[in-house]
Each structure stands twice: as structure tokens, then as C-alpha cells.
Amino acid sequence: MSDLIKPSDLQKVAAEKEMARAREIAEAEKRRADERHQLQQAFMDRQLHPDVNTRVSTALRAAAERGETHLRVFTFPSELCTDSGRAINSGDPNWPKTLVGFAARAYEFYQKELQPHGYKLRAEILDFPGGMPGEVGITISW
């Protein structure tokens, strides 16, 4: 009967397997956190393209030719707002003050270049994962 595995050995095997699974989960979570951080940093650092006027005009013309009266210009995670999207979600008129990084630069472009021509800008929360604000959508209308 010496070939029979003992309960204590089984417990060790199970504990080792559980530790290996926990390490895999922790490593995957760290990779996701690193990727999220890199995306956030890219968003914070992103600048408007030098041809922004031409690109925006081309996109707006194409939307109008399709019979549309608005165009979603970009989306970003609400966690990148200073209040995690709460002002946008509640319709607070001061929501633009919560924008940072590329979104803030894009809003400044809108104020300077588009708003004087009669364009309107709207921000909305597009989804609510876990009941919390998720992606923000920025739309221009005419």
C-alpha cells in the first residue's frame, strides 16, 4: 500500500495548483493594469493632428453626404475625466472642466474653431459597466 498517495500529499498538490492559478491571475491583472496605464498615458499625451481642420471638414462633409446631422468624433473612458464622468452623466453645464488630456485639447479646438461657426458639441456616457459610467462619446452636430 505504499504506492497509495496520502491525503497530505493531495493537499499539497491542490495548494500548489491553487497558488499557480493565483499567480496567473495576478500576472494577467498586472498586464491589464499596465495596458490600461499605457492607453491612459497615450490619451493624456495625444495631440491634435496638424491637419485637424482638413480632417474634421472631410469627416463632417462625409457625414452630411450620408444625410446625417451629427458625427461622433471620439470616445474615451470616463475614468479619464476628473470626476469619472459624473458631470457628463448628470448633464452638469460645467462638464467640460472635467476633461483632461486629449479630450481637453479637443474641446479647446471645438470652442475656437467649430463653435463660432454654429456647431454644437455633446458629451454622453455610452455605457454603464457595473452600474458606473463607462465610455464617453463626444459628438458634433450641425
Side-chain angles (χ1 to χ4, degrees), residues 78-121:
S78 63
E79 65 189 40
L80 295 179
C81 292
T82 59
D83 68 347
S84 298
R86 287 179 191 86
I88 292 170
N89 189 42
S90 68
D92 184 329
N94 293 315
W95 65 264
K97 293 179 181 177
T98 70
L99 300 176
V100 297
F102 179 74
R105 287 185 283 283
Y107 185 78
E108 290 169 8
F109 171 80
Y110 160 76
Q111 284 186 300
K112 181 180 175 191
E113 301 292 335
L114 300 174
Q115 191 175 32
H117 295 289
Y119 289 98
K120 305 285 186 238
L121 186 132

Side-chain angles (χ1 to χ4, degrees), residues 14 21 24 117 124 138:
R21 274 193 293 256
E24 288 174 13
H117 295 289
E124 65 182 319
I138 303 293

Side-chain angles (χ1 to χ4, degrees), residues 117-135:
H117 295 289
Y119 289 98
K120 305 285 186 238
L121 186 132
R122 182 177 75 172
E124 65 182 319
I125 303 297
L126 302 176
D127 60 2
F128 292 86
M132 299 300 289
E135 289 289 304

